[in-house]
Amino acid sequence: MDRTAPFAEVVLPAAVEGTFTYRIPNELASIVPGVRVVVPFGRGRKLHAAVVRRLVHEPPPGRQVREVLSVLDEHPVVTQDQLAFWERVANHYLCTLGEVMLAALPPQLQLSSTTRIVATDTTPSAVVDDRRLTLLLDALERERSLSLAEAGDLLGVKDPIRLAKVLIDSGALGLEERLAAGYRPRQVRHVVLVATERSEDRIRHWFAELERAPKQLALLMRFIERSHWVPGQPAETPMTGLLSSSDAGRTALAALVKKGLFTIEERPDSPPPVTRPMAEVPALSTAQQQALSELQAAMEQHGTTLLQGVTSSGKTELYVHLIDAAIRSNGQVLYLLPEIALTSQLIARLQARFGDRVAVFHSRLTARQRTELWMALIEHPDRHPVVIGARSALFLPFRKLSLVIVDEEHDPSFKQQDPAPRYHARDMAIVLGGQHDAHVLLGSATPSLESRYNADQGKYGSVRLTERYGASVLPGIVTIDLRRAHKERRMRGHFTPELLGSIGATVAERQQVILFQNRRGYAPIWQCEQCGHIPECVHCDVSLTYHKRDHVLRCHYCGRSYPPPAFCPECGSARLKMIGLGTERIEEELALHFPEARIARLDQDTARGRHGLERILGAFAEGAIDVLVGTQMVTKGLDFERVSLVGILNADRLLNFPDFRAHERGFQLMAQVAGRSGRRGRMGQVMIQAFDVAHPVIGFVLGHDVDGFLEHELEHRRVHNYPPFTRLVRFTLKHRNEERVAAAAAALMARLHPDFGDRALGPEVPSVAWVRDQHIRNVLVKLRRSDHASEKHMVDEAFRALKASPVHGAVRLIVDVDPV
Ligand code: ADP
Ligand code: ZN
Ligand code: ZN
């Protein structure tokens, strides 16, 4: 590191291309990479907290270089490893470092200024003839400064600067940029013995002095005890602890402060170090022991290893053993899970073993909690050797990762959809592991085709765990033919009598039921019985979904709500009815069939809020719910002893949607939800309702044949040239004007065609081609794995050229590398 370098190259928290260099003034010469600095950026004088990436001797040629205004951190808050990781992410996903930074840094470390209007020496007290400016000046006399938003509200205008322009130009009003306060470590008040009173003499003096104030005397004695006072040495103790350990009370303390014995001072709060010993990890079964030694051997040979183990085989137990070993050799462990599988059940399981060595990181934490964990990892890397988190935990400041676990590695929610960086946490975990020279362990009962393929090619190590733990056996799975049930008019709502019968029997035995209903394309909609009209969103090309509890029609694409129409807007008929089948509807039907049963629903609506998910899962775990109806959410990592029946209401819906991954997803969902059944001791049962009971994918589910499915599907992918045999890049173009978006898509295709030929597909009009008033087109490119780098480069060129094009520049262009 060169401390004399006079320029800082920084990353700005914005989606801007390129790096930015600022001059370091002499008084800030202590700047090092990884600290945040305040710099002006853009037109106007907006201020941002940027992260210093490196120090350089020369500014970039031909550009005017502005100065760093101040430094926010004494020590780096972003490590060199992290900066290098950001760069890898930006390169892979064709996005900017600023976009990665926005995703990576917790909100409280990201600061941008707000512009304020301020009074100056020459501010007049009124402006003749302009009532609004007078109003503004009045307010400034009271407040001294106003943010633009405050001024705008006050004056009822969007742009108060324009209104006040004359006064600003003449210097009668000023503009000032102010950074919000941002993160400050939590402060704790301490009672501090005043420096002149530390000696033995002085303390003795106080004892005599306080003879007639017993409470104050008692407090002083407590203080001496708790602060471990040594004559002549500084002494202090946290205030709350002191007060609660004595009944002297605040008045006595206040009196002693007034008399000059104590002062009260704020100190940063630092949690106590870990002391609890780690619990013993449980003994493994023979099969598990075998798998563990295979894992250890595989991890010696390969950077990444795939653990394919059936549900309930004890994969989590194996992780616990590996985590234990990693901690004992002073390494850090990152344990990644899909957001929704990060339940208190699993966290409690890990905390029981490792105590508060385990830190948890997911989107339900507050901004402050996220920032605190980040800072704790920077300042005390030994305090939390284990971080368990959702995908964004990848960006935490690790110092010496030795193990990265990606559990449920097949799960599509590891991929961030929007905004950029559209990263896949599994793939980036492998990059991160490589950087730290850490082992990466991918675990799943139903691995992704990519991971299975890589393992089969010998690129990853591969270990299998084929039996369930203990007396638990795989559930018996049966299909129920919906086509026949309909023909024979045996359907009762959306249930076959067979499924209803089993639900009834299970609940009667005080066992639990999980019912799975995929949300995709199958939520309840309103339809006119007379003319068939279906209400659609005014801003998107989709039909609206009825939400009974709020009695509104909602657009699942833009979130807008509409009151349900009383009459058909097309033909005026009053005969509107609900069709289709969402989780809410299923829940209601069930209640009619089983009025005694306790039924609950788990989906995006009910899991909302910080504790929604925990509440429902908690109630289910305690046995306060008999039947849990839900979407995907019920398929992920739940481990409940009493679930002995799983029902899948409509398997066809899982398999028939236009995406090359449809079968992979359908298989994974069915196999995973089936795995929730009969986890301990008891033979579980799974019932799959389907129109096409002969579908090959359902066949593989019935036979618990994960490998059979993978082989079948791999062949399909090979023939059609899809991943893992190619890598995909998807472009999405959006604009209000349909012709412009179509023209831009055509231009992109024309650019890609010479290089990629028929490996560039499109432009495609997606099934929902108009969302939030924007028309959408897609272009898909299949990259060869063999010369991936050069192909990626060509894609990048096309992307940049279109963005820079004067004709098509206004069209929004989104690039998604490795879409899922
Ligand atoms: P998976 O992660 O493969 O689905 P789990 O690790 O959750 O499987 O194990 C399933 C159940 O079996 C859990 O309740 C777990 O506590 C229990 N279990 C697995 N292995 C052991 C073991 N060696 N000793 C005690 N309990 C075990
Ligand atoms: Zn109608
Ligand atoms: Zn909409």
Side-chain angles (χ1 to χ4, degrees):
M1 207 179 318
D2 185 350
R3 288 185 175 276
T4 61
F7 297 95
E9 204 179 284
V10 305
V11 186
L12 282 157
V16 286
E17 200 66 54
T19 50
F20 298 86
T21 306
Y22 291 83
R23 184 185 306 282
I24 300 174
N26 283 337
E27 67 273 20
L28 301 180
S30 62
I31 284 176
V32 292
V35 299
R36 291 172 306 150
V37 291
V38 177
V39 295
F41 178 73
R43 276 175 292 142
R45 293 177 302 167
K46 216 139 180 64
L47 305 182
H48 296 274
V51 171
V52 176
R53 190 180 171 200
R54 61 172 80 104
L55 303 177
V56 291
H57 285 284
E58 309 238 327
R63 261 201 245 166
Q64 210 203 323
V65 176
R66 297 204 258 182
E67 262 196 2
V68 172
L69 298 177
S70 61
V71 187
L72 291 172
D73 308 301
E74 253 172 77
H75 306 289
V77 295
V78 178
T79 65
Q80 293 289 299
D81 277 343
Q82 285 180 295
L83 286 165
F85 182 59
W86 292 4
E87 210 165 316
R88 296 285 298 269
V89 173
N91 286 340
H92 187 84
Y93 292 102
L94 304 177
C95 68
T96 69
L97 274 175
E99 286 171 315
V100 181
M101 170 168 163
L102 287 169
L105 268 194
Q108 289 188 319
L109 296 181
Q110 294 181 22
L111 308 174
S112 289
S113 66
T114 48
T115 307
R116 301 182 71 87
I117 300 181
V118 293
T120 67
D121 293 344
T122 57
T123 303
S125 58
V127 175
V128 199
D129 295 347
D130 194 324
R131 198 186 49 79
R132 285 196 296 188
L133 281 183
T134 302
L135 204 64
L136 179 69
L137 295 174
D138 272 357
L140 282 174
E141 211 169 84
R142 286 193 309 270
E143 312 276 340
R144 293 220 306 282
S145 83
L146 291 171
S147 74
L148 290 187
E150 288 162 347
D153 285 349
L154 180 74
L155 307 177
V157 295
K158 263 213 180 111
D159 184 0
I161 291 187
R162 198 154 80 198
L163 192 79
K165 192 167 185 319
V166 185
L167 291 177
I168 292 169
D169 288 350
S170 72
L173 286 180
L175 291 178
E176 189 184 281
E177 289 294 325
R178 206 176 283 174
L179 278 184
Y183 173 73
R184 271 184 78 232
R186 213 183 282 279
Q187 301 286 316
V188 173
R189 279 195 278 181
H190 278 58
V191 177
V192 181
L193 184 59
V194 170
T196 52
E197 312 301 311
R198 284 173 190 161
S199 66
E200 192 152 5
D201 273 3
R202 289 305 298 162
I203 293 294
R204 221 172 255 143
H205 157 83
W206 282 102
F207 275 127
E209 173 99 11
L210 297 175
E211 210 155 276
R212 288 216 226 114
K215 287 204 165 171
Q216 293 172 31
L217 184 59
L219 192 71
L220 173 56
M221 288 165 80
R222 252 314 127 85
F223 175 84
I224 286 172
E225 196 181 304
R226 294 179 69 90
S227 68
H228 308 294
W229 168 72
V230 175
Q233 298 300 311
E236 62 178 76
T237 188
M239 187 170 99
T240 20
L242 177 64
L243 287 176
S244 63
S245 71
S246 111
D247 19 272
R250 283 172 187 277
T251 333
L253 179 59
L256 290 175
V257 170
K258 204 156 165 223
K259 287 180 183 169
L261 175 62
F262 293 140
T263 54
I264 308 289
E265 285 169 34
E266 304 236 299
R267 302 270 186 265
D269 183 16
S270 65
V274 182
T275 45
R276 197 143 69 86
M278 296 200 286
E280 279 293 300
V281 291
L284 297 178
S285 69
T286 318
Q288 289 171 341
Q289 189 56 57
Q290 167 80 18
L292 183 64
S293 7
E294 284 177 27
L295 271 178
Q296 282 157 342
M299 285 164 46
E300 292 284 307
Q301 301 274 315
H302 298 270
T304 303
T305 300
L306 174 64
L307 171 63
Q308 181 176 335
V310 296
T311 51
S312 211
S313 56
K315 293 186 290 300
T316 318
E317 295 300 332
L318 294 186
Y319 303 153
V320 164
H321 275 257
L322 294 170
I323 293 169
D324 191 73
I327 297 182
R328 287 178 197 277
S329 52
N330 287 321
Q332 277 179 312
V333 180
L334 170 62
Y335 184 161
L336 289 175
L337 267 164
E339 177 81 36
I340 206 77
L342 254 174
T343 58
S344 48
Q345 208 182 17
L346 178 81
I347 293 164
R349 213 168 137 185
L350 290 174
Q351 283 176 340
R353 300 281 166 67
F354 304 114
D356 53 5
R357 292 173 188 81
V358 179
V360 183
F361 191 80
H362 53 65
S363 71
R364 283 164 285 150
L365 298 183
T366 63
R368 174 165 198 103
Q369 289 170 320
R370 276 185 255 183
T371 312
E372 279 174 353
L373 178 56
W374 181 291
M375 294 310 290
L377 287 171
I378 287 272
E379 287 164 6
H380 314 282
D382 297 329
R383 195 165 285 167
H384 299 296
V386 185
V387 175
I388 165 166
R391 62 171 185 251
S392 58
L394 273 179
F395 292 112
L396 287 169
F398 298 103
R399 292 295 170 98
K400 42 179 180 182
L401 271 180
S402 69
L403 176 64
V404 182
I405 296 167
V406 185
D407 195 12
E408 313 287 356
E409 66 85 27
H410 63 277
D411 198 289
S413 64
F414 276 128
K415 172 86 180 190
Q416 165 143 322
Q417 298 295 348
D418 218 24
R422 296 178 175 79
Y423 66 100
H424 199 304
R426 176 197 59 219
D427 300 345
M428 289 305 104
I430 292 171
V431 169
L432 184 69
Q435 256 188 355
H436 285 251
D437 212 7
H439 295 297
V440 181
L441 178 58
L442 311 179
S444 175
T446 53
S448 63
L449 281 140
E450 281 84 350
S451 298
R452 187 66 259 167
Y453 179 74
N454 283 327
D456 291 345
Q457 295 288 306
K459 202 170 145 198
Y460 298 168
S462 171
V463 175
R464 286 167 196 269
L465 195 49
T466 51
E467 62 183 52
R468 281 191 152 189
Y469 174 74
S472 174
V473 285
L474 285 169
I477 308 183
V478 295
T479 50
I480 310 173
D481 190 338
L482 283 176
R483 210 174 274 159
R484 226 170 71 197
H486 274 279
K487 214 167 85 195
E488 295 168 0
R489 300 188 178 280
R490 295 191 298 117
M491 289 302 289
R492 300 183 43 201
H494 296 91
F495 291 88
T496 54
E498 292 92 324
L499 183 53
L500 283 180
S502 293
I503 294 171
T506 307
V507 173
E509 285 177 47
R510 316 234 19 99
Q511 294 282 309
Q512 291 175 306
V513 181
I514 289 178
L515 291 178
F516 173 48
Q517 170 58 37
N518 196 20
R519 179 177 55 100
R520 197 184 276 269
Y522 214 46
I525 52 177
W526 279 56
Q527 189 170 35
C528 170
E529 284 193 8
Q530 197 88 26
C531 73
H533 172 78
I534 295 171
E536 290 195 345
C537 180
V538 179
H539 302 271
C540 312
D541 198 5
V542 288
S543 36
L544 298 169
T545 302
Y546 181 59
H547 287 248
K548 181 149 194 259
R549 197 180 51 188
D550 306 330
H551 190 56
V552 291
L553 298 175
R554 198 165 286 150
C555 171
H556 281 192
Y557 280 74
C558 73
R560 284 186 177 82
S561 296
Y562 302 82
F567 300 97
C568 172
E570 288 294 307
C571 73
S573 156
R575 290 178 53 201
L576 298 162
K577 65 161 189 184
M578 253 185 349
I579 58 166
L581 174 66
T583 42
E584 197 176 349
R585 179 73 191 279
I586 294 287
E587 185 190 12
E588 210 176 83
E589 272 188 28
L590 267 178
L592 293 177
H593 292 298
F594 303 105
E596 309 284 288
R598 296 162 300 171
I599 300 163
R601 172 163 59 99
L602 181 60
D603 58 22
Q604 267 177 33
D605 294 332
T606 62
R608 214 171 278 153
R610 210 174 289 283
H611 305 294
L613 177 71
E614 304 286 272
R615 217 187 43 242
I616 297 169
L617 293 179
F620 195 57
E622 282 164 19
I625 296 169
D626 300 312
V627 185
L628 183 64
V629 181
T631 55
Q632 262 88 312
M633 288 188 178
V634 300
T635 66
K636 307 204 174 167
L638 305 181
D639 178 21
F640 298 110
E641 288 181 54
R642 279 200 301 255
V643 175
S644 65
L645 174 66
V646 166
I648 297 172
L649 283 146
N650 188 318
D652 309 84
R653 293 283 163 178
L654 295 171
L655 298 167
N656 304 327
F657 57 93
D659 187 295
F660 76 95
R661 287 192 205 274
H663 287 183
E664 182 182 5
R665 291 278 170 267
F667 179 80
Q668 286 164 353
L669 283 169
M670 284 191 269
Q672 291 282 344
V673 74
R676 305 300 127 216
S677 182
R679 284 170 74 91
R680 242 168 272 170
R682 218 184 141 89
M683 171 87 172
Q685 194 188 6
V686 180
M687 300 184 105
I688 303 178
Q689 296 192 149
F691 284 92
D692 183 7
V693 287
H695 196 292
V697 173
I698 295 181
F700 291 117
V701 176
L702 287 179
H704 300 287
D705 190 1
V706 179
D707 286 312
F709 168 75
L710 289 168
E711 205 175 298
H712 163 90
E713 185 62 18
L714 261 181
E715 190 46 37
H716 186 78
R717 300 277 181 90
R718 187 194 315 274
V719 170
H720 294 95
N721 228 355
Y722 272 109
F725 300 96
T726 51
R727 301 193 74 149
L728 302 184
V729 176
R730 184 174 58 213
F731 291 98
T732 302
L733 301 93
K734 294 186 180 181
H735 196 268
R736 295 180 77 87
N737 180 307
E738 186 162 12
E739 270 119 60
R740 290 189 72 171
V741 78
L748 179 62
M749 272 308 283
R751 204 163 248 295
L752 291 166
H753 195 77
D755 291 329
F756 294 97
D758 60 3
R759 288 185 295 122
L761 285 72
E764 174 217 21
V765 184
S767 57
V768 177
W770 185 59
V771 172
R772 293 173 202 261
D773 299 313
Q774 305 268 316
H775 292 274
I776 303 172
R777 292 293 183 275
N778 289 328
V779 169
L780 192 69
V781 188
K782 293 175 173 175
L783 311 189
R784 278 197 205 101
R785 284 182 80 100
S786 47
D787 44 358
H788 182 240
S790 69
E791 298 226 322
K792 185 84 164 288
H793 182 71
M794 295 191 292
V795 166
D796 194 26
E797 300 267 280
F799 175 54
R800 281 167 200 281
L802 199 77
K803 264 192 155 173
S805 139
V807 196
H808 303 299
V811 173
R812 185 152 175 248
L813 183 58
I814 296 163
V815 61
D816 189 356
V817 177
D818 304 329
V820 296

